[in-house]
Amino acid sequence: MNTLTKRLWKCISYCFPFRKKIKQESLEKQPIEANSERETSYEVNSERETTIEANSERETSNEVNSERETTVEANSEIETSNEVNSERETTVEANSEIETTNEVNSERETTVEANSEIETSNEVNSERETTVEANSERETTNEVNSERETTVEAKKKRETTTKAHRKRKAANKSNSTRKTAKKPNVSPERDKLYCDECVSRQKRCFEDQVKTAVAKKNVFWTDFKGSNDFERGLLSRGWVKKIAPTFNAGPKKTIFCDPTYGHEIISRYDIQPNLILTRQRIELHLLKEDQITNHFYGVDATSKSGLCNLLRQWCLSCDANPHTFFPRCYMFSEKNEKQAFIDDFTMTAACGILKWVLRTNGKSLQDEVIPSRKEKKEKTAFCMSDAKINNHGPARIVPEDIIVTALVACQFHLYDLTHEDEDDIICAGIVDRKHFISDYYRVMHHGAHIQNSDKYVDYCHQLLCKLRRVNPQLDIDGEKNIWISKPRALSRGRGIRCRNDLKDICSLGWKWVVQKYIERPLLVYGTKFDLRQHFLITDWHPLTIWFYKHSFLRFSSQPFTLERLDTAIHVCNNSIQRKLKNAPNRHPNLPEENMWHSDEFKEYLCTIGKEQVWDSIIIPGMKKALIHSMKATRENVKYKKNSYDLFGSDFLFGENFQPWLLEIQYKPDITKDTPVMKKIVPPMVEDILRVVIDYKDDPNCNVGGFELIYKQANYTGNVSRSAPNTRTDARHPGLSSYFTS
């Protein structure tokens, strides 16, 4: 038997041991000769196998072919040995059994191979499942890593934000101004930048801040848009904002919002604000004693007619004279006011005739030579009529009787004011008012000349000097007799017009207020301006007034002249001038936005050598006007303790730098719409909080730009407010007894 047969038998004997017995029994029955022959064949086969193995070692490159050849040769030898043993039936039976066994083994091998293939497929499937699980684990790991990376980035951003916030806080401390971080736009995407722990920690911190603020009564509420500066100042002090439709809204409509991160907290119980900032009317009985509000009722001085009426009545009960700081004013809604205005208009025209005589003959009240027309434009000091005195035709000459009439009227007026110089009164009988006003218009409006005016220069000069000592408004009246008409119910310069015709002014109805226009104002580079001065009231009983040291100037867009009465020249309200185009011939040093800070005005005063007038004339004059005005109005004010409010006063200056109060604004506009307002408003709001909040806890604290200019002592509240029977005290008295229609 060859080598393959031996190997086959070994496999059979290993897998099926019961076959060995059968084989042994069959072999025992065979004759010895067959065994010997087999052994011989085995020896021959072994020799051949040795030869084949030697050949296979020599021909290593053709191992497969040599094995096949060896197999073919072995098969041929096996066939030869089978022919030799074919005669023996036992050998045939043994061979048949062997073949049967081989077939069974082949079938079993096929089954084993099939099973092995199945196991291999199962292993492959298990490996695939393992691979899928590994991939899913890898995806989970990648998601965890991405979340960790997002968390790391969020921490880095938060650290960067914290560092920037610390830098801003340090810069704010160095500049002595407190600022808080801007409120970010709250959106769902923002929460993704922070991990849950950071968000929860921020919410807990804000909740603690709200609880602390509520315990300390540091909660505020506001409903108007221009409160950003107030909010920043309060938030920097640890206050929190109540967000609700009304200040007394319940917990269901109240939330608190973190200004830094945007977290919102819903109120669980009723929280009332301790500071209320609003422009709306609030019923005082709804407020608690410890609640602070920026609201007063009944401040009559903030209306045009109210200020006029209050000052007129208040001067009877005190020594102050409102004519020293407030241009005379008339309310056409009051009885006999229009007739009083007509008398004043006529008296002002008479004084204007005397001034015309001095000017046309080269003399002034200061005993100085009147400057030339060129000098007037350069110095912007005189803005009077340019009527010529030479080459007048007959139609442009007015008889000298007009001067005599004016002298008599002024002398009579001086007597009524002083009860002096009774022997010097010139009696000229009753004067026709219409004829006098007609001649006055011919001289002032049409440039006519008065005959023999040089003869009356000394008389006019002496009489005007006497009137000047008792009439503080003589210098601002001028010659043109211009008056400014204002609607009672409008603000921001709407409806204001300058007029110089008596008939035109008298045609106005009861809704108008008429005030004397300052014809000789202080000019800056030939342009008219006014000044807005803020002040704060923190109590009315006792009256407490805080004066703010910074202010701003408002310029008109056109050069000043009295030849035209346009609003663009004579009304300086920013709401009016910002709609107009600046004149091309304006001085280049004037601001394009028509607004100056008070510091710039002080620099201008230094350039003209008048730097001392700011502290010696302008500031004291404004303080005096405000104190007297607030004293006059305090009796009618309805308020509660812990209230305050900001006021704005408008001043105009005469040629001698004396301030004249025009109006007082309640809750003035502090919109930051110009560079000057952006410079003034934020520090002023911070200083208001210092006065209203910090000053209560520490009277020695820094109040910034505010100065306490008045605090009433020993107030009794029994000042008489009864109205007088006549109003001649506040106007030119006794004029109706001289002029008739």
Side-chain angles (χ1 to χ4, degrees), residues 180 202-216 218-219 234-241 256-260 265:
T180 57
Q202 293 166 3
K203 289 183 178 179
R204 287 195 301 270
C205 292
F206 183 60
E207 288 178 358
D208 296 338
Q209 182 182 353
V210 172
K211 291 179 181 178
T212 303
V214 172
K216 293 182 178 180
N218 290 345
V219 180
L234 292 169
L235 293 173
S236 66
R237 288 169 168 79
W239 288 60
V240 294
K241 180 182 179 180
F256 295 92
C257 184
D258 188 349
T260 305
I265 298 176

Side-chain angles (χ1 to χ4, degrees), residues 625-648:
L626 295 178
I627 292 172
H628 289 329
S629 300
M630 293 300 101
K631 282 183 177 180
T633 193
R634 65 186 170 190
E635 291 299 323
N636 298 330
V637 177
K638 297 179 182 179
Y639 80 109
K640 66 179 291 295
K641 289 291 184 180
N642 294 324
S643 300
Y644 78 95
D645 213 340
L646 182 70
F647 296 84

Side-chain angles (χ1 to χ4, degrees), residues 328 343-356 402 406 409-410 436-437 440-441 444 477-481 483 516 739:
R328 53 196 188 275
D343 294 340
D344 195 344
F345 186 91
T346 308
M347 189 67 246
T348 305
C351 292
I353 292 295
L354 302 188
K355 293 176 182 179
W356 183 92
I402 190 174
C410 291
F436 174 79
I437 293 297
Y440 170 78
Y441 286 160
M444 298 300 172
D477 283 348
E479 303 176 16
K480 297 288 186 179
N481 207 356
W483 296 73
K516 185 65 186 74
F739 289 103

